[in-house]
Amino acid sequence: MTGRLDELERGSTRIFWTLIASGIVLAIGLAIYGIKTTHKVAGPLFKVRLYFAKMKEGRFDTVYPLRKGDQLVDFYEHFRSAHAGVVAFEKADIAKLKALITAAEAAGQGDHASVATLREILARKEKALA
C-alpha cells in the first residue's frame, strides 16, 4: 500500500510540474503573440505620427506603403489619400505663385516688396515638396 501511495504522489508531483511548465510556455507564447500583434497596430500609427510631425514642420515627404501584415490598412490608405491631397494643393499653389511672379515681372514690378515676399513663399513651398 505504501508503494502505491508513493507512486500516486510521484504522479501527482509530475502532473503539477507539467502544469506549471505548460503554463509558463503558454504565458511566454501569448506574450510574444501580443507583442507582435501590437506592433502590427502600433507601427502604422507611429508612421502616421511621423508624417504628421513632418507636415507640421512644412515637409511633405513621400508616404511609403505599410509593411506586409500590418493592420489599420484602411486608415492608413485614407491618410495617404489626404496627404496626397495636401501635396496636390501645395503643387497648385506653387504653379499659381510662379504665374503671379512671372506676371508681376512682366508688368515691371519684379523688384516690389510684395513680389519678394511671394518669392520667399514660393521657395518655402518648393522646399517642402523636395
Side-chain angles (χ1 to χ4, degrees):
M1 179 95 167
T2 308
R4 181 81 172 130
L5 287 175
D6 288 341
E7 186 180 323
L8 285 174
E9 183 67 31
R10 280 193 306 273
S12 176
T13 303
R14 189 176 16 220
I15 290 171
F16 173 76
W17 287 111
T18 301
L19 287 173
I20 294 293
S22 298
I24 291 171
V25 168
L26 183 62
I28 291 171
L30 286 173
I32 291 170
Y33 176 76
I35 290 170
K36 286 182 75 172
T37 302
T38 56
H39 278 99
K40 289 181 178 189
V41 172
L45 293 175
F46 180 74
K47 282 181 80 169
V48 168
R49 185 178 68 91
L50 289 178
Y51 286 123
F52 275 136
K54 289 178 182 180
M55 289 172 72
K56 179 182 175 187
E57 295 170 359
R59 294 188 342 234
F60 298 96
D61 294 346
T62 303
V63 178
Y64 295 101
L66 292 174
R67 300 170 296 191
K68 184 177 178 182
D70 274 344
Q71 301 294 315
L72 303 176
V73 175
D74 290 339
F75 166 75
Y76 192 75
E77 289 305 316
H78 284 293
F79 167 75
R80 284 181 74 179
S81 175
H83 185 276
V86 171
V87 169
F89 280 127
E90 289 292 312
K91 287 180 179 179
D93 284 350
I94 287 171
K96 289 174 187 174
L97 285 169
K98 284 181 178 179
L100 187 59
I101 291 169
T102 302
E105 289 172 345
Q109 298 297 319
D111 58 347
H112 194 274
S114 60
V115 176
T117 302
L118 290 175
R119 284 191 186 101
E120 290 172 9
I121 294 170
L122 176 63
R124 188 183 74 235
K125 286 184 175 282
E126 288 178 331
K127 182 180 176 189
L129 294 179

